[in-house]
Amino acid sequence: MNLSQRIYAQDDFYIVYDANSDFEERFDSYSSAYSFYEDNLDEYENLVLSNNDSVIHMEYGIVEFKGSKACDLTIDYYSVDRNSQDLLNACLGVDGAYLYTNSKGDRVYYLLSNEKAYTSIDNVILHPYESLNTRISSYTNKDGNLYHNIKTQMEYDYYSFSLNIDNKLDYLVDNKDYYSYDGHYFYDDFKIMIDDYKNDIRKNAVNSDAYYNYYEYLPHHSLSNYKVSEIEDFFYNVLGINNYLNHYTDYNYDGAADEVNRSQLYNNISEFFVNQYMYGSNALMLISSAINESSYGKSLNSFISNNLYSVAAYENQNDTENNKYEDIASSIYSHSKYIINSLYSNYRRSSYAGTFFGNKLAGINTTYSIDPYYGQKCAATYRELDLKNGNKDYNSLAIGIIKNKNRVTFYRDPLLNNRQFSLDNINELAYVILEENENSYKIQIDSSNLDDYLYSFKESIAYVSKDAFTYILNQEKIHEYELIDKHYDFNEGLYKDYSEYTLQVPSFQDDLIIKAKKDSHELTGYIDGLAQYKKIERIELKNDFTSNVELYQYIDFEDAYLRVYYDDSSYKDVQINSEMISAYDNTVSDNQDININYCGLSLNKQISFNESLYEHRLKLEEAIENNDYESVKEHLELIKYPLNFSQIRNIDYNLKQINNRNYVINDKTERYNVSISGLDLSLQDKQVFNFVGDTYYVVINDINAIDKKKISDFASGYGFEAVEGLDISFRFNYEDIKLIGPAIVQIDLNDKKNNHVYSVYHITDNDDIIKCRTTQSENYIQFMIDEQGSYLVLSMPSVNEYDLRDNTEDLSYENMGYDNHRINFIVMAILFTSLLGITGITIYYILYNKRKKLWKDFRRLLPIAGSVQEEKLNN
């Protein structure tokens, strides 16, 4: 039943009130309330009509889209501007500018991401502007940059995203919030913005001319000015990505693997540039999309399916059946060829709205994503990549913006005589301008003029009348690309069908490597465009990975590797990763054969997905639900399970009452006010001394300089600064012990800043860097650990003020016990010393008595000895 049906079925009353005064009027029916509301809009500042505390109509306010904590709820809406149905997820953008509700009270109209749309009132919550107690999405000039601060929840005042989208705009005052739900016009007064939106004008905005973001409106069919090696150096040396993912955990619940130095982008950067020249897709735009959709190549989808993007277009039956690309290169190739070129570049398709990232009105974002800000997020990532690598792409090309509902014709010649194709009903289109003529511009078109979606920058051109363009960005940068023909040996690799195809590349691009393939051979590089190989004799499996995997979980390749033997008697070890593993089905408990592939050679291994391990997971979840704390610990010793902070605290607190363990925090740094939860849960039960008792130690030391440098060097690439480092270890009496599950560490930072966001990274024994699940309260930092070692607290400035209530952990300096192990040692030392004393006295007494007896015997024998001597002399 929709809201209008509920409204007319209810017998309760409706309220019309002014959000700015005490005025309130009650009505028995919706129709009478609505009539009064319509008749009196001009009499009040913000008239509101509500029923059962739910707002139905208002003059000024926002639309909050309903969502779920799991972010698995999408709402359907209808785009008025695009005349089509679409979907939206509130976890990606929660607030829109309210326009009006229809007379029936069942349909709400709003503006979001430059798109006018409507949805059922059941899908939203309406908030009058005066009732808002948290910030809403806004734009701000700060530190020389323009930021878009995006809300994804209305419960807290925090922004979920603060996108650095451009250099500061001169017409915006620094450090002041501005409102805009179209991304083109900015307002310092919310109600004036809503009035303009309702009247479909923008004359009262701060800026008179529309703002267009360069990265957001740059078409995919453009060329980046970077060399392959420059971007590789950034990813591998600045961002610290040094290997593929080889196992997957996400205890941070952020959609990315916790091992932050590993990524499926590793050794694949060149592939983005190959596709730039094969299919015309700007390499940094492809990378920016991959970063956003795969969390820098660390998403579960990239790990199990070799897919860097949220959609797939498989080229062969095997990939289709397995829902997995053969490798990461195939994912990049497929996205560029089929998604960008076939689907979004073809003006004959209904999906065509331009190949720029765009918004929900125009560009790829219109139909590609349920994220209203997908295009802007990709554009912000492109800007970040560009800023950190020399800003070579920013404003380097002239872009023409077409906003013309009438037909626009594209011609084959500058005199506009030879028609090529036409487009009509255009919202916005953007093209790179290559040349200016008297009455026309030569542009780079989106559609390819070549077969099989190959793209030529020299041939995919057209001429358009100057009158068709509404805005020209960077008119002084109008120029044609200077490209040279370069032939590469594609061999038997991904591009084998184009072995005779010659790429058009800039002269500076001299380090492009194409992943040519040849069975039983390893590619070593190129000489004069010809692939060079090293022959492989055989491969062997070393450091095998487990064949017993929990049902519904994923194979862990950590520490597993192949030994590759070459025909020159040399060999090397290659770490196994998901690119090398054939598809498997983790939903079936039967044994399965998987192949481990390397350069056309393969090994077979049998995997079993264990149902009994999965049953432990179910029993553990049941134990958590039933507060069966000892069973929780029992099952945690067999499987890994991502407990959250509150679960750890609760389970540990109750186990502590049962176990009565004795803990001592030994903070050798004397800097941290440390408290901990989870030790009763995550340390094995041990017992040695029954008389005085045992002691579990938490030992806190300063982080060693080498580990601190490794983590801080890595984190600096992502904008973090090192704050504090510590080394955490555990002992039972005199014995070092390990965690078998998760624990929470809370520390007090003397100079903690509430306008900074904190994160904690941990470095493992094999130099992998783990992002710990981290939270922060008003005075403390809390982070989750599952092993001992070096941890570094990092921070960066934030647009949020983090002042959440402090937590209380189960173990602190105030409630820790006595150092029983030391007491035991002292008592034993005293007993030992006493024993030694008694023994010494006894020995002394024995020796003394013996000596005394000997002396007496000697004294007694002296006269006898003297008589004998005298007798001898007389004789």
Side-chain angles (χ1 to χ4, degrees):
M1 180 185 292
N2 63 35
L3 182 62
S4 63
Q5 291 173 316
R6 291 204 308 272
I7 286 171
Y8 291 111
Q10 288 173 343
D11 296 328
D12 54 356
F13 53 82
Y14 302 86
I15 301 176
V16 177
Y17 65 93
D18 178 24
N20 280 283
S21 70
D22 294 332
F23 169 77
E24 178 180 301
E25 191 80 27
R26 298 194 176 198
F27 300 87
D28 292 331
S29 68
Y30 169 74
S31 58
S32 57
Y34 180 66
S35 295
F36 181 87
Y37 172 84
E38 284 287 295
D39 293 342
N40 291 275
L41 284 172
D42 296 336
E43 300 297 322
Y44 300 94
E45 288 189 43
N46 190 0
L47 206 59
V48 180
L49 190 162
S50 68
N51 171 254
N52 286 346
D53 295 327
S54 296
V55 174
I56 304 169
H57 297 270
M58 60 187 178
E59 288 187 83
Y60 303 104
I62 67 154
V63 174
E64 176 189 351
F65 303 101
K66 292 182 179 178
S68 65
K69 288 186 177 180
C71 294
D72 55 0
L73 175 65
T74 56
I75 67 169
D76 61 296
Y77 71 89
Y78 187 84
S79 171
V80 176
D81 287 322
R82 294 187 285 114
N83 194 29
S84 63
Q85 292 285 143
D86 210 336
L87 298 170
L88 175 116
N89 191 307
C91 285
L92 303 167
V94 75
D95 58 321
Y98 173 81
L99 300 179
Y100 59 90
T101 307
N102 68 344
S103 59
K104 290 184 178 180
D106 63 351
R107 181 182 292 177
V108 172
Y109 288 76
Y110 63 89
L111 187 76
L112 175 63
S113 188
N114 202 28
E115 176 184 48
K116 182 180 180 181
Y118 65 78
T119 189
S120 167
I121 199 168
D122 293 332
N123 292 330
V124 298
I125 301 170
L126 304 184
H127 297 278
Y129 182 70
E130 292 79 3
S131 70
L132 292 170
N133 53 19
T134 66
R135 294 178 290 183
I136 59 176
S137 296
S138 65
Y139 289 80
T140 308
N141 266 352
K142 183 180 179 182
D143 300 329
N145 301 300
L146 175 65
Y147 291 90
H148 186 190
N149 306 310
I150 299 173
K151 295 277 289 188
T152 62
Q153 47 75 34
M154 295 302 297
E155 183 179 358
Y156 302 107
D157 197 43
Y158 306 133
Y159 291 120
S160 299
F161 302 96
S162 187
L163 306 178
N164 182 348
I165 63 173
D166 206 344
N167 294 338
K168 63 176 288 186
L169 301 180
D170 292 337
Y171 47 81
L172 302 184
V173 176
D174 287 355
N175 302 310
K176 179 179 178 179
D177 288 344
Y178 290 86
Y179 305 108
S180 178
Y181 286 89
D182 63 12
H184 294 312
Y185 292 92
F186 304 96
Y187 294 81
D188 55 6
D189 188 295
F190 181 85
K191 292 184 177 180
I192 290 176
M193 177 186 70
I194 297 298
D195 284 337
D196 270 11
Y197 286 172
K198 288 180 177 179
N199 294 312
D200 199 21
I201 60 174
R202 303 293 188 268
K203 68 179 183 180
N204 294 303
V206 171
N207 51 315
S208 56
D209 291 326
Y211 161 74
Y212 280 88
N213 181 281
Y214 178 78
Y215 298 103
E216 193 175 337
Y217 278 83
L218 179 67
H220 263 78
H221 292 301
S222 59
L223 288 173
S224 172
N225 296 306
Y226 287 99
K227 295 177 63 172
V228 175
S229 56
E230 292 174 306
I231 304 303
E232 285 182 331
D233 180 70
F234 174 71
F235 274 89
Y236 304 153
N237 297 322
V238 178
L239 295 185
I241 292 172
N242 59 19
N243 217 320
Y244 290 96
L245 290 177
N246 58 8
H247 74 291
Y248 190 89
T249 60
D250 180 16
Y251 295 147
N252 288 288
Y253 299 104
D254 60 359
D258 297 328
E259 278 183 325
V260 288
N261 62 300
R262 292 177 176 269
S263 165
Q264 302 295 65
L265 295 177
Y266 179 72
N267 201 32
N268 280 304
I269 299 301
S270 185
E271 288 302 308
F272 295 102
F273 286 86
V274 173
N275 282 274
Q276 177 174 249
Y277 303 120
M278 290 283 290
Y279 300 104
S281 297
N282 184 303
L284 263 66
M285 293 181 74
L286 290 175
I287 294 173
S288 298
S289 299
I291 286 173
N292 275 280
E293 297 184 57
S294 70
S295 299
Y296 281 86
K298 300 167 189 174
S299 68
L300 180 60
N301 195 33
S302 68
F303 176 66
I304 63 173
S305 300
N306 291 328
N307 190 353
L308 296 176
Y309 301 94
S310 56
V311 293
Y314 298 117
E315 196 173 49
N316 60 67
Q317 188 64 27
N318 184 61
D319 288 355
T320 303
E321 290 176 355
N322 294 318
N323 194 28
K324 178 180 182 177
Y325 286 113
E326 180 181 345
D327 50 28
I328 293 295
S330 297
S331 171
I332 302 167
Y333 157 83
S334 174
H335 185 79
S336 182
K337 179 177 179 179
Y338 295 111
I339 303 301
I340 301 301
N341 272 13
S342 172
L343 186 60
Y344 286 101
S345 297
N346 190 341
Y347 65 86
R348 295 184 177 88
R349 287 181 177 265
S350 61
S351 56
Y352 180 70
T355 62
F356 50 98
F357 286 135
N359 46 47
K360 291 306 292 184
L361 180 68
I364 287 176
N365 198 172
T366 53
T367 56
Y368 185 84
S369 175
I370 59 174
D371 181 355
Y373 299 117
Y374 167 82
Q376 197 177 70
K377 289 171 184 174
C378 290
T381 303
Y382 191 170
R383 171 171 166 79
E384 181 184 8
L385 292 173
D386 200 14
L387 277 173
K388 291 181 177 179
N389 287 281
N391 228 24
K392 290 185 176 183
D393 282 356
Y394 183 56
N395 286 337
S396 64
L397 298 172
I399 301 174
I401 308 293
I402 297 176
K403 288 173 64 71
N404 193 335
K405 289 289 185 180
N406 299 318
R407 181 176 293 271
V408 176
T409 303
F410 297 75
Y411 296 89
R412 299 182 190 277
D413 65 275
L415 298 178
L416 309 179
N417 291 323
N418 191 358
R419 178 185 175 279
Q420 192 172 168
F421 62 91
S422 296
L423 297 174
D424 55 13
N425 197 29
I426 295 168
N427 288 308
E428 283 181 342
L429 288 175
Y431 299 102
V432 173
I433 298 178
L434 304 172
E435 176 185 281
E436 182 178 6
N437 300 295
E438 184 177 355
N439 297 311
S440 65
Y441 288 117
K442 179 182 179 180
I443 66 167
Q444 195 81 61
I445 61 173
D446 292 324
S447 290
S448 172
N449 289 331
L450 301 179
D451 294 333
D452 205 24
Y453 309 114
L454 293 167
Y455 191 89
S456 168
F457 283 94
K458 293 180 180 179
E459 297 180 40
S460 293
I461 60 169
Y463 296 84
V464 179
S465 170
K466 287 183 175 181
D467 295 338
F469 292 91
T470 310
Y471 296 99
I472 305 295
L473 309 183
N474 311 316
Q475 187 154 4
E476 72 283 1
K477 297 295 179 65
I478 294 176
H479 69 279
E480 297 210 45
Y481 295 115
E482 296 181 5
L483 304 173
I484 61 174
D485 292 340
K486 207 164 185 179
H487 180 74
Y488 286 86
D489 175 16
F490 294 137
N491 212 251
E492 293 301 315
L494 193 56
Y495 313 102
K496 60 185 178 182
D497 294 337
Y498 313 115
S499 58
E500 301 303 319
Y501 185 65
T502 299
L503 298 184
Q504 299 167 2
V505 302
S507 58
F508 66 78
Q509 195 64 268
D510 56 2
D511 52 3
L512 183 68
I513 298 295
I514 297 174
K515 286 188 176 178
K517 293 182 181 179
K518 186 177 180 181
D519 283 350
S520 302
H521 288 75
E522 185 178 283
L523 181 68
T524 58
Y526 279 82
I527 298 178
D528 297 328
L530 295 177
Q532 307 297 305
Y533 298 95
K534 190 173 183 179
K535 183 170 174 53
I536 301 173
E537 286 290 342
R538 70 185 190 281
I539 57 175
E540 293 180 0
L541 184 61
K542 299 289 183 180
N543 274 31
D544 198 1
F545 51 91
T546 180
S547 58
N548 188 32
V549 184
E550 182 188 338
L551 192 66
Y552 304 114
Q553 297 303 301
Y554 303 98
I555 302 175
D556 190 332
F557 312 113
E558 190 174 16
D559 299 328
Y561 63 88
L562 290 175
R563 180 156 290 177
V564 181
Y565 294 91
Y566 300 99
D567 65 345
D568 62 0
S569 299
S570 63
Y571 70 86
K572 74 173 182 180
D573 293 331
V574 177
Q575 194 169 66
I576 295 174
N577 61 74
S578 65
E579 271 204 320
M580 300 160 64
I581 302 296
S582 63
Y584 57 84
D585 185 355
N586 65 354
T587 66
V588 178
S589 59
D590 296 337
N591 291 336
Q592 298 177 46
D593 289 326
I594 63 168
N595 291 321
I596 307 166
N597 305 300
Y598 186 77
C599 296
L601 299 173
S602 65
L603 295 174
N604 182 268
K605 179 177 173 66
Q606 192 173 79
I607 294 291
S608 174
F609 289 95
N610 193 316
E611 190 170 2
S612 64
L613 288 176
Y614 175 65
E615 289 173 356
H616 280 290
R617 182 174 297 269
L618 297 179
K619 290 176 181 176
L620 187 149
E621 291 172 349
E622 183 181 355
I624 293 172
E625 187 176 345
N626 295 331
N627 297 324
D628 184 358
Y629 309 111
E630 292 180 290
S631 293
V632 169
K633 181 168 183 175
E634 175 188 336
H635 295 299
L636 265 182
E637 292 184 7
L638 297 171
I639 62 166
K640 281 200 166 188
Y641 187 85
L643 295 169
N644 60 40
F645 280 84
S646 60
Q647 287 173 331
I648 292 172
R649 291 187 181 109
N650 179 52
I651 296 168
D652 188 58
Y653 174 80
N654 285 278
L655 282 173
K656 195 173 182 180
Q657 315 310 310
I658 299 170
N659 292 335
N660 294 313
R661 286 178 175 178
N662 182 57
Y663 291 100
V664 168
I665 299 174
N666 184 3
D667 185 358
K668 296 182 179 180
T669 69
E670 298 182 352
R671 290 203 310 271
Y672 307 107
N673 181 13
V674 178
S675 56
I676 300 175
S677 294
L679 297 186
D680 272 78
L681 174 70
S682 298
L683 289 176
Q684 289 181 330
D685 293 319
K686 289 177 174 290
Q687 191 173 26
V688 174
F689 299 107
N690 292 319
F691 178 63
V692 176
D694 301 299
T695 302
Y696 289 87
Y697 292 94
V698 181
V699 183
I700 310 293
N701 274 300
D702 283 316
I703 189 172
N704 71 71
I706 295 174
D707 285 352
K708 182 178 181 180
K709 186 177 188 314
K710 286 179 180 177
I711 300 175
S712 58
D713 285 352
F714 172 87
S716 65
Y718 298 86
F720 284 103
E721 290 186 357
V723 178
E724 290 281 359
L726 59 161
D727 181 90
I728 306 172
S729 60
F730 305 93
R731 288 202 338 259
F732 173 76
N733 294 338
Y734 52 83
E735 174 191 2
D736 289 335
I737 54 175
K738 296 181 179 180
L739 290 174
I740 58 172
I744 301 167
V745 176
Q746 177 172 273
I747 63 173
D748 180 5
L749 298 178
N750 293 328
D751 57 350
K752 182 183 177 296
K753 301 172 183 176
N754 284 347
N755 63 343
H756 277 57
V757 61
Y758 289 83
S759 190
V760 178
Y761 284 8
H762 164 58
I763 189 165
T764 66
D765 291 340
N766 62 356
D767 281 348
D768 280 329
I769 296 176
I770 309 297
K771 181 181 179 182
C772 303
R773 190 168 187 190
T774 308
T775 62
Q776 60 194 83
S777 56
E778 186 173 5
N779 297 295
Y780 301 105
I781 306 297
Q782 304 87 21
F783 57 98
M784 198 178 293
I785 67 173
D786 62 5
E787 66 178 8
Q788 63 184 29
S790 296
Y791 292 84
L792 187 64
V793 182
L794 307 142
S795 77
M796 68 168 61
S798 172
V799 294
N800 298 319
E801 288 282 341
Y802 294 96
D803 54 0
L804 292 173
R805 181 174 56 84
D806 290 331
N807 293 289
T808 302
E809 306 303 340
D810 295 337
L811 173 65
S812 67
Y813 293 99
E814 286 72 26
N815 64 8
M816 70 179 186
Y818 295 103
D819 193 341
N820 289 338
H821 175 55
R822 187 179 178 188
I823 294 171
N824 285 327
F825 181 80
I826 292 171
V827 169
M828 290 178 66
I830 292 172
L831 290 174
F832 182 70
T833 303
S834 300
L835 182 62
L836 283 177
I838 293 170
T839 304
I841 291 170
T842 303
I843 294 172
Y844 176 80
Y845 180 76
I846 293 171
L847 293 174
Y848 175 78
N849 284 326
K850 187 172 183 181
R851 182 182 171 192
K852 189 175 181 181
K853 181 176 182 301
L854 289 171
W855 177 247
K856 284 182 178 180
D857 291 343
F858 177 73
R859 294 274 308 258
R860 181 174 53 83
L861 292 172
L862 272 178
I864 300 173
S867 301
V868 172
Q869 185 66 25
E870 185 178 350
E871 217 175 283
K872 285 183 179 179
L873 288 172
N874 291 333
N875 290 331

